[in-house]
Each structure stands twice: as structure tokens, then as C-alpha cells.
Amino acid sequence: MNRKKIIYALLLLLPMLLPLFVDNQYYVHGILCRILIYSILVASLDLVVGYLGDISIGHAGLFAIGAYSVAILTANPKMNMEATMTFMPQIPFLAALAIGVLLAALTGFVLGFPSLRSSGPYLAVTTIACGMIIFTFISEQELLTNGTKGINLSVVTLLGVQLGGNKLVWLVYPPLLAVMWIMRNIGRSYWGRAFEAIKYSPIAAEACGIWRTYFKISAFVISAAIAGLAGGLFAQLDQYIAASTFNLDFSILALIALIFGGLRSTLGNVIGMSLVVLLPDWFTWFKDFRLLVFGILLLLTLFFLPQGVVGLLKSVWQKLGFHKHDHVDIQERTLNLEKLSEKDSSVLFAANTKVQKLDALELDLVRMQFGGLVAVNNLSLKIKSGMIMGLMGPNGSGKSTTVNIITGLYPQTSGSVRVFGQEMNALKPFERARLGVARTFQNLQLFHDMTVLDNVMVGLHMSFKANLVEVMLGLPAVWHEEHEMQVKAYRLLKFVGLEKSAFEKAKNLAYGQARRLEIARALALNPSFLLLDEPAAGLTSGEIEEFNHMIRKVKQQGISVLLIEHHMDMLMEVSEEITVLDFGKKISEGTPDQVQNDPKVISAYLGTSDVAVKPSGSGGVLA
Ligand code: ADP
Ligand code: MG
């Protein structure tokens, strides 16, 4: 295993030998170095497009910022005699590169904000605009950038070595390796999962305690910094840059390379870019048609290889027997987790003892209006610590809205919400999650393209201690923590009876399993207060039995629960108190017996039907 790693590492270093043995500059300097530099740009794009799911068509602008920083700050006045530019401080290359990276990161920071408000085509247009602003700026500001005439640079000398010609590999390959390493580490960490969780369901991500703003902006900043790095290195490729390189086409080319190679794969980034650079070169004999041929080839690839070239390679690799089959791998990992989880007997989840003396929830005259519709009408409600409170009412009576108000998804029109004595008004959903409020969603909000285990790992988000730098470097402590959390997630899956599906994609789960996964993910937050919005909808009677058992175990740990249910019998069995809503108003509350016999509930809510009041095994009477 370790020997394999050493061999891989040595293989990775082979390109560093090229300048020593190859004299021809066309392939090494002209093509390979171009691929290496552009691949860094593709990797940066992958962070935003592959992980966050936001399309950016403005990365050429960020790339240009890096390139122009290096060019302007290092340009030699003797080589730019006729230039209109006057500012040429001639600082060392590495310092200029660092400034370029910083400036690009700063732009990424600004570019990140629109991504909080818009997505899809709207965001794509915003990024185009950003790219165009930068492009126009560098074309027009001749005093600073020499405009369309461009800037000439001298070859960089580092540690006494002139890095011109094929030796440019020594300058551009190590940064690519570093970027690949960082991207791999981020992708496998809780940072990568947070990005993906935001992509699949921003509200569920926030409900897991993920600060969406912070993670999205961070992704844009890291991505922009890497794009700036690529640009800074690019300035050395031809020792000449001009504005025309950094147009919209260039952004699109990077995007094509990314999708071509396969998302969220550093190897894919390099392969994609290699093809994009090499194909036109190979098809030169098509002369004027080469772009057409290239385009058609690209379309066919995209159509037949949705996972990109890397997806194809992976399956060929497996068929040839070089790579373990997925199921063998999964079996091994399951066995490992089973062994480890048996050893671990720590408490999986329990209410925070500090808050246990306080009421879990106090709603005071809470009102929610959607236009003219009053969804929740001056509702007051108290849940004592450690209690299971049932909430029932017909469809549209305001139950889910109540949960959304408590968890911060909807700002109430008026009234106050207190959780464990703390006023919640000013707190965002993720902040409430951090205070120990966890929830499930009536309309499931799983991260559907992630594995079942990873879904629970997102729930464990707040338990991770490693900081971003440690994560990027992939320090041993980070992997240790990751493994520890995997075991915890696996134990949570065991608790809800889903451990056999740990490595399946969440989207492949049956309905009842998906509901249980949401509960495991909510419990992963180690909550003190759990809100379950119709957790048993669609479950079979056997599954409901198990569910009741589970809820009791949760209660034993001192966790307070607000349980919304259509299933009357289930509510009656597990809740200590029940509140009944109708048209957003509380019409009854008390013990299950009291509520069941309340004439108001029977007439206003259950109608006059006799069967309605009797618990039925087969499901809801209120649907
Ligand atoms: P329940 O969960 O009890 O079935 P809800 O709380 O989902 O009911 O809905 C209560 C009422 O509020 C319904 O009439 C619903 O249409 C309305 N409602 C809920 N959410 C929204 C929203 N985001 N915008 C407008 N109306 C909403
Ligand atoms: Mg509802």
C-alpha cells in the first residue's frame, strides 16, 4: 500500500525531468506547459462549478488579474520602451505572483456575493459581466496595462536558474501538483461535503449548521486565488501578454475542459484541458474546419460521457481489473466501519445538560402571514424540556410553517420564539442548528447525489474541528478526525437501521429509508430539541413500529421533540401532550386522551365520522 504510494509519487515527479532530456521546445514548453497552467485554471473552476454547482463564465477575468499583476509588477522597462505604461516597479516574480493571487482572491470575494442571491443562468450572466468588466479595464487602461499592445516580460530566474524554454516546467508543474493536492484534500473533507450539501439543498445544509454565506464566499475566494495563480504563471509562458487573450472565449474554453474531463476530479481537470489544447493541434489538417470538428467531437463526448473522460477511464480501468470493483471496495469499507463501530461505545447523542432545566420551546403569539393568508394565527405553545409534544391538524393548518418559523426558515410576521430560554428572532437557521435545534423535512431534503454515510457526515458538520489550512494540507489529524466521524455516522445509521445502505447514493433509497436517513442526519447534530415534520408519512406499519421505538430512545437521552403527524395512533402512543391546529389557530391541547375526547377536535377537526377518532393501524385519518 505504502510502496504503491511512493511509486505514484515518483511517477508524478517524472515531468520534472523533461527539461533535462528534451530539447525540442514545441511539445514541452509550447504544449505541456500550456496544459499545466490551464489545468490550474480548470481546477479553480471546478471548485465553483463542480462542488458548489454555480456556473462561472468569468474565470478568464480572474486569470487576467493574476497575469497582469505579474506582468505590470515585474516588467522590464528596457523591453517595453515604446509602452504607454509608466508604472513598472520591477519587483521580484514571487512577490508579484503573491500580489496577483491576493488581488484575484479579493475579486473572488466580491464575485461571491451575487452567488448568494442568484444561481443558474442569472449567476452565469453575472460572472460574464464580471469577466467583461475586467477585460474592458485591461484593454482600456493603457497607462497601466499598455492596452492591446501588450507587455513584454523577461524570463524568471529563481535560485539562480533561468526558467525559460523547457525549464518553465519547473516553474509551473509544482504549483499544479500543489493545487491538485489541495483540491483533493478539500474534496474529501467536511469542506467539500459542505459545498456539495449547499448545492443539493441549501436549506438542509443550513439546518445542519452550515453557514452558507461563509462557505460559498470561501469557495469563490479559494477558486479565484487559484485562478490568479494560474494567470500569474501564464504571464511567463510567452513572456508576453495582451488583453485579447482574456476574453469570454477563454472562460468558455476552461468550462468546456472542465466538463470534458469530468467534474470534481483533479485528474479530470488535467485530462480535459489536455484534450482541449491538443485536439485543435491534432486536427490542424482540417484547417478552417478544425473548430467545427472539435466542436462536434466535444458535443458527442458530452452526450455520451456525462461523467466526462474520467468517468470512462474509471470504468475501463475497472473492467481491466486494475482497480477494485466498487462493490469489493464498499464491502471492505463496511467491514472496517463495522469493526470500528463495535469498539466505540461513546454516547451517540444526548441533550445538552446545561439547557435541560429550561423550557425547550416557548412560542408567544406567533403569527405568520403570506400575503392575505394567515398560515399561523397568534399561536402560543410551550414544550417542557425532555418532553415529546405532538402537533396535529389537517393539511394546510400551519404545522410545517410553525416548524419553519422555529428553525428560522421563515421570519414570523409577529410574536416571539424562544428556544431553551434564548430569543431566536435575530438568529439564522444555521445558528439555531448550532444551539441544538435539529429538524427533518416533510418534503425530503436529502443530498441526493451523496452517499447515505456522507449525508449523515454533513449532519456531523459542527463536530469537525480542523481548520481550512489543515484541511487543504491534508494533515494526519484531519484524516484521523474524518475516520472518527465516519464511525460516528455509521453508528447513527445503525441506530436507524440503515447501515447496510451506508455507501449507496441517497437518491436510491426507498421512501421509508429516506425518512430514516433524515432522522439520522438530524440526530448527528447532537440536538437538544428535535423537530420531526411528518416523519412517518409513507411508512409501512412495521416501519412505524420501529419508528416509535426509536423516538422513545431519543427521549431517553433527554432530547425534547416536536412531532408532527397525520397518524393519530402514533401520536397517541408516543406523545405526552398534543396540540391541535386548525387554520393556523390552536383549537385544543392536552394529554392524548383529553385531545381525543375534546368535542372541538372531534367536530371541528375530525368531522362527525365515528371511525375517525379510532386509532387505525393503516395510517392517517386526517389526510
Ligand atoms: P401543514 O404543514 O399543516 O399542512 P403548512 O404549514 O405547510 O401546513 O401550510 C399552511 C398554509 O400556509 C397553507 O395554506 C400553505 O399554502 C401556506 N404556505 C405555506 N408556506 C407558504 C409559503 N412559503 N408561501 C405562501 N404560502 C405558504
Ligand atoms: Mg406540513
Side-chain angles (χ1 to χ4, degrees), residues 370 373 375 394-401 410 442:
F370 296 107
L373 180 98
N395 267 335
S397 58
K399 306 181 297 294
S400 296
T401 305
Y410 294 164
Q442 180 178 359

Side-chain angles (χ1 to χ4, degrees), residues 129-140:
C130 177
M132 274 163 52
I133 290 171
I134 297 170
F135 178 69
T136 314
F137 181 86
I138 54 180
S139 312
E140 305 283 325

Side-chain angles (χ1 to χ4, degrees), residues 56-362:
S56 164
I57 315 185
H59 265 55
L62 303 166
F63 187 78
I65 290 176
Y68 268 92
S69 302
V70 166
I72 294 167
L73 296 173
T74 65
N76 185 343
K78 280 188 206 129
M79 300 178 75
N80 295 281
M81 296 289 248
E82 273 124 61
T84 42
M85 55 194 280
T86 45
F87 179 66
M88 284 187 254
Q90 283 192 278
I91 68 170
F93 173 77
L94 287 182
L97 187 63
I99 292 173
V101 168
L102 273 178
L103 286 178
L106 211 64
T107 314
F109 180 75
V110 177
L111 193 59
F113 283 93
S115 84
L116 296 172
R117 302 216 157 251
S118 55
S119 59
Y122 298 102
L123 181 64
V125 169
T126 312
T127 60
I128 291 178
C130 177
M132 274 163 52
I133 290 171
I134 297 170
F135 178 69
T136 314
F137 181 86
I138 54 180
S139 312
E140 305 283 325
Q141 292 298 312
E142 294 195 357
L143 286 181
L144 191 66
T145 64
N146 212 21
T148 45
K149 290 192 285 302
I151 306 176
N152 291 303
L153 300 168
S154 39
V155 173
V156 171
T157 306
L158 284 183
L159 303 171
V161 184
Q162 275 221 330
L163 297 174
N166 287 350
K167 292 204 180 93
L168 187 66
V169 173
W170 292 344
L171 180 70
V172 301
Y173 189 53
L176 172 64
L177 285 183
V179 166
M180 286 172 77
W181 175 247
I182 287 172
M183 288 293 293
R184 164 193 179 271
N185 290 336
I186 290 180
R188 295 180 183 187
S189 73
Y190 74 98
W191 272 76
R193 276 192 301 272
F195 293 151
E196 284 202 74
I198 292 170
K199 169 168 69 181
Y200 296 126
S201 170
I203 57 170
E206 287 237 3
C208 289
I210 293 171
W211 186 7
R212 183 171 155 267
T213 308
Y214 178 73
F215 277 87
K216 282 203 95 164
I217 302 278
S218 299
F220 272 87
V221 169
I222 301 168
S223 168
I226 297 175
L229 172 71
L233 298 172
F234 173 76
Q236 274 296 319
L237 184 65
D238 301 324
Q239 275 116 43
Y240 168 78
I241 61 166
S244 57
T245 309
F246 308 96
N247 55 19
L248 192 61
D249 291 3
F250 189 62
S251 290
I252 294 175
L253 207 68
L255 199 59
I256 289 173
L258 173 64
I259 297 169
F260 216 8
L263 296 178
R264 278 171 284 130
S265 155
T266 46
L267 183 65
N269 299 159
V270 180
I271 292 177
M273 199 26 115
S274 305
L275 290 173
V276 166
V277 171
L278 286 172
L279 284 181
D281 195 61
W282 289 338
F283 288 117
T284 41
W285 34 277
F286 276 101
K287 288 192 185 133
D288 295 344
F289 295 112
R290 70 181 185 147
L291 280 183
L292 190 71
V293 174
F294 179 44
I296 291 171
L297 209 68
L298 193 65
L299 270 182
L300 289 177
T301 319
L302 293 186
F303 191 73
F304 290 109
L305 302 173
Q307 311 284 334
V309 179
V310 146
L312 176 74
L313 285 185
K314 235 182 176 173
S315 59
V316 171
W317 211 242
Q318 274 182 6
K319 282 209 181 96
L320 292 177
F322 287 128
H323 190 276
K324 265 183 276 179
H325 282 279
D326 267 356
H327 61 261
V328 178
D329 205 25
I330 286 170
Q331 253 171 12
E332 254 173 45
R333 281 154 72 192
T334 312
L335 284 176
N336 266 343
L337 282 181
E338 260 168 12
K339 258 188 256 153
L340 289 169
S341 76
E342 269 154 29
K343 269 191 237 153
D344 191 344
S345 61
S346 58
V347 185
L348 255 184
F349 51 84
N352 179 347
T353 45
K354 266 191 230 149
V355 299
Q356 264 179 327
K357 291 183 201 76
L358 303 160
D359 284 334
L361 176 74
E362 261 179 282

